[in-house]
Amino acid sequence: MAMLLFCIRRLSILLCVVSVLCFGSPAFSTVGDDIDNSWNVKALTTYFPLYESELHVLDEETLIHQGVSLSPKEGEVLAFSQQRKIAILSKPLLSEGQFLYREDSGICWAINKPFPATLVLTGSSIIQKSDDGSEQVIDGSKNPIIAELTGLFTSIFAGDGQKILSAFDVYLLQNKPSLMPKAGWMLGMKPKADLMVGIPAEIRMLGKGNLRWVWFSNKTGDQTLIEFSAVNGLQSENVAARCFGRT
């Protein structure tokens, strides 16, 4: 039971880019107050008209029709950078690396800084990979709580519209260049049911076509911002092998 509770606490940070390892220390470093907060984050996270009734999305077809893709492109390696602001800390925490989603293999966070770590999230398990090739696995088939959490996390980062709409109230805002100068749309998500351990109180996703930014907060006031960007071809091959053992 103690190990289960420990892993559930780590899963709450897992959604914050899976950067705290279920088997080890936090994969974060503190950074100075002068860090770039990525274009007017405060405006996008405090825009409360996002949750007006006329912006409520009821079906996945609406998102498709509006040209909204809720995940990075399947099979494409992307760089990610993450800033996490914890209420009890004066400075944000930073991690960065590469992200890869493959429908047949899962979602991989290949963390490079502040130290290397590789985490693969499937629909029912969490796998930590070490440099020596060894793996440690939390198997959701043996615990329904882990299975439900990993399934939900996978649906969010894989952009599974049907599962997202079944678990969250979703709102879509578009064509607001003064608010979102680098994005064409912003999606707001709030859980429909009472919060499970590890599920954020609010998630906002932004993009131009494909997903580019993810922001979320929890009940304690902790906030996380993730930004995705392109990488070169050689990095893509290396990350695919690191994550799934093949290119």
Side-chain angles (χ1 to χ4, degrees), residues 108-176:
C108 177
W109 301 94
I111 303 164
N112 297 330
K113 294 182 180 180
F115 57 82
T118 304
L119 221 61
V120 177
L121 177 66
T122 71
S124 61
S125 65
I126 305 168
I127 305 167
Q128 180 194 342
K129 299 191 174 189
S130 302
D131 291 341
D132 62 5
S134 62
E135 296 183 353
Q136 291 179 291
V137 181
I138 299 178
D139 188 354
S141 66
K142 298 177 180 179
N143 191 296
I145 297 176
I146 295 294
E148 186 169 355
L149 287 171
T150 55
L152 184 57
F153 295 161
T154 301
S155 69
I156 291 171
F157 283 106
D160 188 328
Q162 290 186 345
K163 288 185 179 179
I164 289 172
L165 287 164
S166 67
F168 295 89
D169 285 318
V170 177
Y171 299 79
L172 174 63
L173 180 72
Q174 292 179 293
N175 304 318
K176 292 284 185 180

Side-chain angles (χ1 to χ4, degrees), residues 38-134:
S38 186
W39 70 274
N40 205 1
V41 172
K42 185 177 180 180
L44 72 92
T45 59
T46 58
Y47 187 76
F48 296 109
L50 173 62
Y51 295 105
E52 293 178 352
S53 58
E54 61 266 26
L55 300 178
H56 195 194
V57 176
L58 299 177
D59 53 62
E60 189 176 12
E61 286 70 25
T62 299
L63 299 176
I64 295 172
H65 180 72
Q66 297 297 330
V68 174
S69 177
L70 297 184
S71 72
K73 186 182 297 184
E74 195 271 341
E76 179 182 10
V77 175
L78 295 173
F80 76 83
S81 60
Q82 174 187 269
Q83 298 173 38
R84 187 166 190 238
K85 295 182 179 180
I86 298 179
I88 62 173
L89 298 180
S90 60
K91 294 182 179 181
L93 304 173
L94 176 67
S95 65
E96 61 182 55
Q98 285 83 36
F99 170 95
L100 174 60
Y101 164 59
R102 284 184 170 173
E103 187 174 359
D104 61 345
S105 303
I107 293 171
C108 177
W109 301 94
I111 303 164
N112 297 330
K113 294 182 180 180
F115 57 82
T118 304
L119 221 61
V120 177
L121 177 66
T122 71
S124 61
S125 65
I126 305 168
I127 305 167
Q128 180 194 342
K129 299 191 174 189
S130 302
D131 291 341
D132 62 5
S134 62

